[in-house]
Amino acid sequence: MVSDVHGNARDLARAGDGADALICLGDLVLFLDYADHSRGIFPDLFGVENADRIVELRTARRFEEARELGARLWGGVGGDRAALIEQAVRKQYGEMFPAFPTPTYATYGNVDMPQLWPEFAGPGTTVLDGERVEIGGRVFGFVGGGLRTPMRTPYEISDEEYAAKVEALGEVDVLCTHIPPEVPELVYDTVARRFERGSRALLDAIRRTRPRYSLFGHVHQPLARRMRIGATECVNVGHFAGSGRPYALEW
């Protein structure tokens, strides 16, 4: 199982070795690598100096200034902004999706572009969002995307829409989401020094339906990588772009 792949196609190609299936919890796209500001769509378009500056502003939670800088930079680029981003994302998806083994079960992250996935997902990749599937005799439920934030990443939805997708799953053995339940220890990023958005609806569903596991990513350097909520083992499966190591779920 992997999450937050962010352009790491090399390690993704080996992530399913020895496993019955690979599960991907989203964020295939790399817009900007906070550890290496030379990598990603943003520095490719605007250079490393501007990437350094926007990371500095975002880390300081100066989101309005970051948006103003972004607007100035985009204003100086010829061509349609959406078209340029889509072109860059298509290039990354063209490297990511062929690396998925068969079978792969995947859902979207907050920086993904769901409308492009049908074009790139091969017959061995099953895409799920607000849906269930049986894997190895256990029922897995998938909810993709993130909640709305000042970062305005591509696949952010309202709390109500997210809650409806969680509710649609019903009772499952393994709850697979991109974002974590709203628990301070699980949503705080110790490097970015901020609380990411977790889902209250997800936390309520865990308490109500008591899945065996709740598995997620999104927070790259969490204060707590795992904890129990009642009968449920909650696990951040890791920042795959940084580690290159999948999380193994065995039963």
Side-chain angles (χ1 to χ4, degrees), residues 31-32 34 54-64 66-67 74 81 110-111 147-156 192 194-197 218 220:
F31 277 95
L32 175 58
Y34 276 54
I54 207 158
V55 169
E56 177 187 355
L57 291 172
R58 288 178 176 176
T59 302
R61 303 185 64 81
R62 294 158 60 184
F63 295 118
E64 189 59 40
R67 280 194 291 271
W74 281 108
R81 172 177 177 169
N110 60 293
V111 302
L147 298 175
R148 288 177 181 154
T149 71
M151 305 288 279
R152 299 180 183 177
T153 51
Y155 190 42
E156 294 181 354
R194 65 170 179 259
F195 289 97
E196 302 289 356
R197 287 223 54 197
H218 186 55
H220 293 179

Side-chain angles (χ1 to χ4, degrees), residues 1-9 11-12 23-30 32-33 39 96 100 107-112 117 145 177-180 189 196 215-222 225 235-245:
M1 182 172 298
V2 299
S3 185
D4 300 271
V5 178
H6 293 303
N8 190 352
D11 292 322
L12 183 62
I23 293 174
C24 178
L25 302 182
D27 273 8
L28 299 182
V29 173
L30 179 62
L32 175 58
D33 189 334
R39 298 183 64 242
M96 296 290 106
F100 281 142
T107 196
Y108 318 113
N110 60 293
V111 302
D112 284 312
W117 281 38
T177 58
H178 178 66
I179 64 174
D189 191 306
E196 302 289 356
L215 305 174
F216 47 86
H218 186 55
V219 183
H220 293 179
Q221 298 90 14
R225 293 199 174 274
V235 182
N236 184 317
V237 303
H239 178 217
F240 187 76
S243 71
R245 294 189 302 273

Side-chain angles (χ1 to χ4, degrees), residues 74-87:
W74 281 108
V77 173
D80 179 74
R81 172 177 177 169
L84 287 170
I85 292 176
E86 181 175 319
Q87 180 182 12

Side-chain angles (χ1 to χ4, degrees), residues 84-103:
L84 287 170
I85 292 176
E86 181 175 319
Q87 180 182 12
V89 171
R90 283 179 179 277
K91 181 180 177 182
Q92 292 189 13
Y93 281 167
E95 298 171 355
M96 296 290 106
F97 279 92
F100 281 142
T102 298

